[in-house]
Amino acid sequence: MKKKLVFVAAVLFSSYTQAQQDSSKTLDEIIITANRFEQKQSQTGKVITVIGRDVLDKSAGRTVAQVLNQQAGIVINGALNNMGTVQTTFMRGANSGRTLILLDGMPVSDPSQINNEFDLNLFLINDVERIEICRGAQSTLYGSDAVAGIINIITQKQNVKKPFHVKATLSAGNMATYRGNVQLYGKANKLQYQLRSALLSSKGFSAALDTTGDKNFDRDGYRGTTNSASLRYELNEQLSFKSFIQYNQYKADIDNAAFTDDKDHTQKSKNLNTGAGFQFKNKGVSVTGNYMYSESERNFLNDSGSINGFAKFVQDDYAGRNQFIELFATVDLGKGFSLLQGADYRYNTFNNQFLSVSSFGPFRSQFNDTSISQQSMYASLFYKGFNDKFNIELGGRLNVNSRYGSNYTHTFNPSYLLNKNLRVFGSIATGFKAPSLYQLYSFAGLRTLMPEQSRNYETGIQHQTKKLQQRLVYFYRDVKTGIDFNFITFRYYNIPNQIVRGLEYEFVASPVEQVTLSGNYTFLNGTDFIQSRVTTKDSSYQYMLRRPAHNLNLQIAYKPLNDLFISVNGKYVSERFDVGGFRRPDVKLGGYFLLGAYAEYKLHNNWKLFADAQNITNTKFFDVRGFNSIPFMIHGGITLSL
């Protein structure tokens, strides 16, 4: 499809993430992710989804990945598999590692991962206060990896006024699954504090699929914890300081491969994020500075006693470190104009040690500490005029990478309020992804790799009345110099082209006061011009692996009493393909429909009982070839809030 056809029609609403929320909420919720300053959601032309605390509270029996997997334009491959499964984020059909994860507005990643992505298994739902999703290329404001969009996981509470609060949740479910968390937070004079601790454990089910049903595959368990603390001190009305620390870890039993059990193979992952920042804000100027230090560790241990193999013992250790520092400011220029300008510095390094023991003796290899850095400067000019009906952003970014040199990105994003119910918007933006350390320096790396660059177009229309909110968006992405793996040379290389186009539709309707209907539908159509997975010739694929052409989420919520809430939800995923093996045809995975339900009842003002059920019909389905997905799951518990 020609680029000229990019600006086509669309219809908006307040997104599906509000499916479980009070139907009176609208798009005018205050957000920060779209343009790095507080603004109403209706005052930006960007496609924003907000998952508030009310929705997260009604997701206590789920994981962060499962909640994200219900949003328009997002597929989290692995979210519906056994706990501890690799969580691969596909936004708007983009490849893995093309969606940037933020923690309280700052990028987080694991430089030891092939695509530099962050492991969503490290976040527990009770440690998250709010999630803001911004779809579409965001590299101008947020740099590398924001090719398809960003997911900002916010842990900081807002508008805390009392000196002491406590919130605790205990719950249990089948598969010997247990969850618990406690939060202490408050504000005393100028000091605001927050302490959180959360636990999730499960005996799980076999990660690998037993096709015969008689091979006695064992259950693969999971245990994860998160602990965090933060302080915010308001020196005066204009200047505030913050500091934070978060430590996440989990241990998961994993199997040997697709269709292959392993009873003594484990993965341990740890992540530390700590840092500090400040904000100065008066009537016309806002200045923000942040620093964050991150450490990631992954350990794979296989005693190889349960399967026949060449090695009798395998240990594989990865360690990565990140440093991030930024300074940005927003200035009110008057007459509807404002300017955002900033700079950031990113430093990544990782190492790897490998040991295997066989009948021939031990074999060791290592990947020594290797680093890469990037410096960036960016600016965006905003205009709001015509009685606040017209909004526009025009921005650019310069990136200077220590490996490949410099590149540029830009953004043009207008929106216009046609009347009080109807708004149109669009954008033309470029995105980029820098090659990861693994893709540059590993045994399969190529040091001449260039950054992946894309041109992105989107247009949409949003419509909102008292009883109906809806949005329709068309998007188109053309990727040049994409990064992929070459099965001929067994090295990474720049592919010539990838094209993805699609539609996203979302709605929330309140036909009567006690009932809310909500849902979203995503259509994807993509073409990959990459090396054939069957032969050694170049080829093109009219689909994208593990990304369905059709994805539908629906929910009906009923609140018959002030203290009682009930909802039923359904998810449909169409057929899609997965890799069939080395030089084998791709394998088609069947479509499926999942049915779920949730209920909660408030006891007085401080106690709440809840129950959450997934895959009620116990549908057998697969999101990853050779690995099991969730059976019927039931979870219930109690929450105390003081």
Side-chain angles (χ1 to χ4, degrees), residues 222-284:
Y222 172 94
R223 181 181 176 87
T225 61
T226 67
N227 295 281
S228 64
S230 66
L231 293 173
R232 178 183 173 88
Y233 183 74
E234 298 175 355
L235 186 64
N236 51 48
E237 293 183 355
Q238 297 179 325
L239 183 61
S240 63
F241 299 90
K242 69 176 182 180
S243 62
F244 60 90
I245 185 170
Q246 183 182 82
Y247 181 70
N248 308 329
Q249 65 174 346
Y250 71 86
K251 179 182 178 181
D253 297 327
I254 56 180
D255 279 331
N256 188 58
F259 309 106
T260 308
D261 189 31
D262 196 328
K263 293 179 171 55
D264 52 17
H265 196 180
T266 61
Q267 174 187 350
K268 293 181 181 178
S269 291
K270 302 176 183 179
N271 177 251
L272 169 70
N273 295 296
T274 186
F278 76 91
Q279 183 177 54
F280 173 83
K281 188 176 183 180
N282 61 22
K283 186 176 181 180

Side-chain angles (χ1 to χ4, degrees), residues 207-210 257-260 578 589 622 624-628:
L209 172 64
D210 180 0
F259 309 106
T260 308
D578 203 349
L589 302 178
F622 304 98
V624 183
R625 175 181 173 271
F627 291 91
N628 288 309

Side-chain angles (χ1 to χ4, degrees), residues 299-310:
N299 167 267
F300 297 87
L301 180 63
N302 191 353
D303 286 340
S304 300
S306 70
I307 60 172
N308 294 321
F310 176 77

Side-chain angles (χ1 to χ4, degrees), residues 19 157 163 235 321 357 409 432 441 479 524 566 615:
K157 290 184 176 292
L235 186 64
R321 298 191 304 276
V357 179
T409 60
F432 85 100
Y441 296 107
V479 176
L524 282 179
I566 303 170
N615 194 6

Side-chain angles (χ1 to χ4, degrees), residues 613-634:
Q614 299 184 71
N615 194 6
I616 291 175
T617 58
N618 201 29
T619 298
K620 196 171 185 63
F621 68 102
F622 304 98
D623 274 338
V624 183
R625 175 181 173 271
F627 291 91
N628 288 309
S629 295
I630 61 170
F632 167 68
M633 302 287 288
I634 183 72

